[in-house]
């Protein structure tokens, strides 16, 4: 359906592709992977025609419809979320618009002399609208929005009043309702809660078109894709299988290439040693010449490209008392909405509690109460003796000083730390080379999140309260964070929609329900095995 044929592309001085080729066949679901800046988004832009290759060509079969979801959703305001989603439904939305115009024309006294022609056209358009499933369009739009966790009020309210994350979901819903022949999804798993993520997996499993997507969510990729295309060093390499298979195969390929490289280097060293030893002897002249010619003809094996991976080791956190946080008889409401009625909870030292609950159950509110960012209406929230807390939430990114550089922000937070240690820390969180001189005001949301996390974890508290810490983090940074937090000896209370992160780090599950907290000993994997569901209200 879509082919990239010997494509070369350069952005400024950066070479993205050199004679790269790949294909997307009908019904295939492919994950696009590669380091940040490798050119994943450029592939989407080339396919949609927003960008052009320097050399080569992009071939799209005639008549193929393409839906492209990107993080840049643009402005939305003035109509309901449902209407916004329906407007993106391809041909049927255009037919619906003509149908509305014809209905208005039939009621317009000024057009009575054309009434017969209008009625005839209305009949034709209505038949087309019905054939395209137009009368089911609104119910389908609401079904998709409900799957993405929209309430009825949000569906009917002005889309302009929604936050950026919810507008992303509206833009995604437009593409899903459209059901094009090909979906291009750039990070669709960002901004989704766990329930929405699982619903999207099921939707894509039932989608019979072709799919090309990027995602930083390992579990999501494993559930959806059957092939992986890797962008690395200017080429596109295909791996048949899910993301885990790709990782294993890539590691095996690297190992084999390294062994081949080392064998060739040993052989070359041996040949060069012979040449150096005998080049001055006339009796060995023909042998030396023969070996020189042999070396000139050998195809040199390159060593495997090394992905930069930096480990971050926690300094030990100070020991807290055994009772870290206690909530007793906590009531909390926002306006008419009651969040908690008499909530009781005790978090003990070295527990790693992941908090689960449907939208509106009060996950972030619980973290805010523990962190002291909000107060209970009734009851008490008490932190234990010697508790030193670190709180990560999305709003923490707004507290960064815009004119400060990355390294200055780190120095300001940790004035006694060595510059070399802070630069190593910055590297762990994806700020390498000149990146440390970037000013905070120009950082992306993901870069700000990484910087706030780095500041907090350099001198670790013994209680970490983390609200969606993996948002915007790429897979390599997530793996580094999981490895670091696995060694952390303090207490954790966290919310995340990343199932790999939940399973790797939790040893206790707190499920918030209308009738209080259901507590499960053991981590997220044990919770799934015991309840038969990956998220509250959804069966596995």
């Amino acid at each position: 359906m879509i082919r990239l044929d010997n494509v070369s592309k350069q952005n400024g001085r950066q070479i993205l592709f050199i004679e790269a080729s790949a294909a997307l066949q009908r019904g295939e679901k492919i994950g696009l992977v590669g380091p940040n800046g490798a050119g994943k988004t450029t592939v989407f832009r080339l396919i949609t025609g927003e960008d052009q290759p320097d050399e080569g060509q992009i071939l799209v079969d005639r008549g193929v419809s393409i839906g492209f979801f990107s993080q840049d959703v643009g402005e939305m305001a003035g109509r309901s979320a449902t209407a916004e989603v329906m407007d993106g439904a391809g041909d049927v939305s255009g037919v619906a618009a003509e149908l509305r115009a014809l209905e208005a024309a039939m009621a317009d006294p000024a057009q009575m002399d054309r009434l017969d022609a209008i009625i005839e056209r209305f009949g034709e358009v209505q038949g087309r609208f019905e054939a395209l499933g137009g009368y089911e369009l609104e119910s389908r739009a609401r079904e998709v929005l409900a799957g993405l966790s929209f309430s009825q009020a949000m569906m009917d309210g002005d889309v302009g009043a929604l936050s950026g994350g919810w507008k992303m979901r509206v833009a995604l819903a437009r593409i899903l309702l459209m059901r094009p022949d090909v979906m291009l999804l750039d990070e669709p798993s960002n901004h989704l809660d766990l329930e929405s993520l699982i619903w999207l997996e099921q939707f894509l499993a039932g989608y019979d078109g072709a799919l090309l997507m990027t995602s930083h969510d390992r579990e999501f990729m494993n559930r959806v894709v059957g092939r992986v295309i890797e962008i690395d060093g200017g080429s596109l390499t295909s791996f048949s299988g899910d993301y885990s298979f790709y990782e294993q195969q890539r590691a095996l390929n690297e190992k084999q290439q390294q062994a081949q490289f080392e064998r060739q280097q040993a052989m070359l060293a041996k040949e060069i040693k012979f040449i150096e030893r005998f080049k001055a002897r006339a009796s060995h002249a023909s042998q030396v010449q023969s070996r020189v010619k042999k070396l000139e003809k050998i195809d040199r094996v390159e060593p495997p490209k090394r992905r930069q991976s930096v480990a971050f080791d926690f300094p030990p956190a100070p020991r807290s008392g055994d009772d870290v946080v206690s909530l007793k008889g906590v009531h909390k409401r926002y306006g008419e909405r009651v969040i908690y009625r008499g909530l009781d909870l005790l978090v003990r030292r070295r527990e790693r509690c992941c908090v689960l609950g449907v939208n509106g159950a009060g996950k972030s509110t619980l973290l805010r109460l523990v962190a002291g960012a909000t107060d209970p209406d009734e009851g008490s929230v008490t932190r234990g003796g010697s508790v030193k807390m670190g709180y990560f939430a999305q709003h923490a990114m707004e507290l960064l000083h815009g004119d400060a550089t990355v390294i200055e922000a780190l120095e300001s937070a940790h004035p006694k730390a060595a510059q070399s240690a802070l630069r190593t820390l910055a590297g762990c969180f994806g700020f390498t080379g000149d990146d440390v001189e970037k000013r905070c005001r120009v950082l992306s949301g993901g870069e700000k999140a990484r910087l706030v996390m780095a500041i907090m974890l350099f001198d670790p508290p013994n209680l970490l309260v983390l609200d969606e810490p993996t948002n915007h983090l790429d897979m390599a940074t997530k793996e580094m964070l999981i490895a670091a937090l696995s060694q952390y000896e303090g207490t954790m209370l966290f919310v995340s929609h990343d199932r790999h992160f939940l399973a790797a780090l939790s040893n206790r599950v707190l499920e918030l329900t209308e009738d209080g907290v259901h507590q499960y000993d053991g981590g997220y994997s044990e919770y799934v095995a015991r309840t038969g569901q990956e998220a509250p209200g959804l069966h596995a």
Side-chain angles (χ1 to χ4, degrees):
M1 295 177 82
I2 297 175
R3 279 182 296 147
L4 280 72
D5 194 10
N6 288 322
V7 167
S8 296
K9 180 68 181 174
Q10 189 167 338
N11 277 351
R13 291 184 178 180
Q14 186 188 10
I15 296 171
L16 295 176
F17 308 115
I18 306 167
E19 296 183 353
S21 296
L24 177 63
Q25 307 296 345
R26 193 172 299 278
E28 270 194 313
K29 295 183 172 72
I30 296 178
L32 190 61
V33 303
N36 282 341
K40 297 188 291 291
T41 300
T42 302
V43 169
F44 292 138
R45 291 172 58 82
L46 289 170
I47 291 172
T48 58
E50 291 176 44
D51 209 342
Q52 298 298 320
D54 299 332
E55 293 177 23
Q57 53 187 340
I58 313 295
L59 303 168
V60 180
D61 287 354
R62 184 172 295 179
V64 166
S65 58
I66 296 174
F68 176 35
F69 167 76
S70 75
Q71 298 294 301
D72 183 15
V73 298
E75 284 301 309
M76 292 182 188
R79 53 184 171 182
S80 71
T82 306
E84 189 72 40
V85 171
M86 289 168 63
D87 189 56
D91 291 347
V92 68
S93 60
V95 177
E98 187 178 355
L99 206 56
R100 287 194 296 272
L102 289 166
E103 283 171 350
M106 284 191 288
D108 183 358
Q111 301 203 45
M112 280 300 148
D113 56 332
R114 296 182 54 244
L115 188 59
D116 289 347
I118 292 169
I119 290 171
E120 185 180 348
R121 178 61 183 161
F122 182 84
E124 293 169 2
V125 175
Q126 191 177 41
R128 170 94 172 122
F129 186 66
E130 195 170 340
L132 288 169
Y135 288 107
E136 295 84 51
L137 188 62
E138 183 172 345
S139 65
R140 283 171 46 221
R142 289 180 179 275
E143 186 182 331
V144 170
L145 286 168
L148 296 175
S149 299
F150 280 74
S151 64
Q152 290 298 323
M154 291 169 74
M155 291 181 200
D156 295 328
D158 187 338
V159 72
L162 298 175
S163 68
W166 285 99
K167 285 179 179 174
M168 290 269 191
R169 297 191 196 204
V170 171
L172 177 60
R174 282 172 65 107
I175 305 299
L176 301 181
L177 181 67
M178 179 184 171
R179 291 188 83 99
D181 300 321
V182 177
M183 277 192 210
L184 308 177
L185 304 182
D186 194 4
E187 294 293 346
S189 52
N190 275 3
H191 303 287
L192 295 186
D193 53 56
L194 190 50
E195 291 80 6
S196 301
L197 200 55
I198 294 166
W199 177 87
L200 180 58
E201 282 173 1
Q202 293 166 349
F203 182 95
L204 293 175
Y207 166 63
D208 54 7
L211 171 69
L212 182 66
M213 74 169 193
T214 62
S215 175
H216 292 323
D217 189 311
R218 165 192 302 273
E219 195 59 40
F220 181 66
M221 286 277 266
N222 276 337
R223 303 281 182 95
V224 174
V225 307
R227 186 153 73 92
V228 170
I229 292 177
E230 179 191 55
I231 307 177
D232 198 8
S235 61
L236 296 169
T237 308
S238 180
F239 297 80
S240 293
D242 63 13
Y243 185 82
S244 292
F245 174 81
Y246 151 74
E247 274 196 320
Q248 293 165 4
Q249 194 61 45
R250 190 181 197 282
L252 181 63
N253 291 354
E254 281 187 357
K255 192 175 177 183
Q256 290 173 341
Q257 190 175 345
Q258 182 66 30
Q260 198 178 349
F261 171 74
E262 288 171 3
R263 280 197 304 272
Q264 190 180 70
Q265 289 301 302
M267 181 273 289
L268 292 173
K270 188 178 174 184
E271 294 294 323
I272 290 167
K273 188 177 178 183
F274 179 91
I275 292 166
E276 290 298 317
R277 185 178 174 189
F278 294 111
K279 65 182 178 183
R281 296 190 191 178
S283 59
H284 287 73
S286 62
Q287 286 175 283
V288 167
Q289 283 301 313
S290 170
R291 294 193 182 204
V292 167
K293 286 178 182 175
K294 177 184 168 185
L295 290 189
E296 287 172 353
K297 291 178 182 176
I298 285 176
D299 287 332
R300 300 296 168 107
V301 175
E302 295 291 325
K305 300 184 191 79
R306 291 287 176 209
R307 288 276 174 91
Q308 273 194 326
S309 59
V310 190
F312 174 60
D313 294 322
F314 272 107
R319 193 185 193 284
S320 70
D322 286 341
D323 292 354
V324 177
V325 182
S326 173
L327 287 80
K328 290 183 178 173
V330 167
H331 290 254
K332 185 68 181 176
R333 69 190 303 155
Y334 293 110
E336 296 297 308
R337 195 161 134 251
V338 175
I339 308 295
Y340 305 127
R341 288 188 185 89
L343 176 68
D344 293 319
L345 178 66
L346 175 64
V347 178
R348 295 178 62 80
R349 189 173 76 88
R350 298 195 69 175
E351 286 185 332
R352 299 153 176 262
C353 304
C354 70
V355 183
L356 302 180
V358 298
N359 257 343
K363 299 187 291 292
S364 291
T365 300
L366 175 62
L367 269 52
R368 286 168 58 78
L369 284 164
V370 169
T374 191
D375 296 317
D377 300 333
E378 293 178 40
S380 64
V381 179
T382 310
R383 291 205 290 271
S386 306
V387 169
K388 176 189 172 190
M389 188 193 65
Y391 175 42
F392 176 87
Q394 302 304 308
H395 72 77
M397 297 182 278
E398 298 162 17
L399 304 179
L400 293 169
H401 193 285
D403 286 332
T405 63
V406 168
I407 194 67
E408 286 169 352
L410 291 168
E411 287 170 340
S412 174
H414 304 291
K416 293 182 180 178
Q419 172 97 189
S420 59
L422 293 178
R423 285 183 177 271
T424 300
L425 174 71
C428 289
F429 284 86
F431 298 103
T432 55
D434 293 341
D435 288 344
V436 295
E437 302 302 333
K438 279 185 177 178
R439 299 208 178 273
C440 290
R441 65 167 175 267
V442 303
L443 298 179
S444 67
E447 287 171 324
K448 286 178 181 175
R450 297 203 306 268
L451 178 54
V452 170
M453 191 84 69
I455 289 169
M456 186 174 69
L457 296 182
F458 183 69
D459 179 18
N462 51 30
L463 170 61
L464 284 176
V465 180
L466 307 175
D467 195 356
E468 295 288 3
T470 58
N471 268 6
H472 306 290
L473 299 187
D474 61 27
M475 288 201 197
T477 309
K478 275 187 202 176
E479 289 302 324
M480 179 278 295
L481 191 59
I482 288 170
L485 291 174
S486 296
Q487 304 302 313
Y488 172 66
E489 296 192 349
T491 305
M492 285 173 60
L493 183 68
F494 64 100
V495 173
S496 176
H497 65 251
D498 189 297
R499 284 158 292 179
H500 179 55
F501 190 84
L502 290 170
L505 294 174
S506 59
N507 61 20
R508 188 176 173 210
V509 174
L510 306 177
E511 183 184 341
L512 301 184
T513 70
E514 287 185 355
D515 56 346
V517 182
H518 292 176
Q519 303 186 35
Y520 298 84
D521 290 329
Y524 176 73
S525 298
E526 287 87 347
Y527 166 83
V528 173
R530 195 176 304 173
T531 63
Q533 60 190 29
E534 292 189 298
L538 291 177
H539 292 285

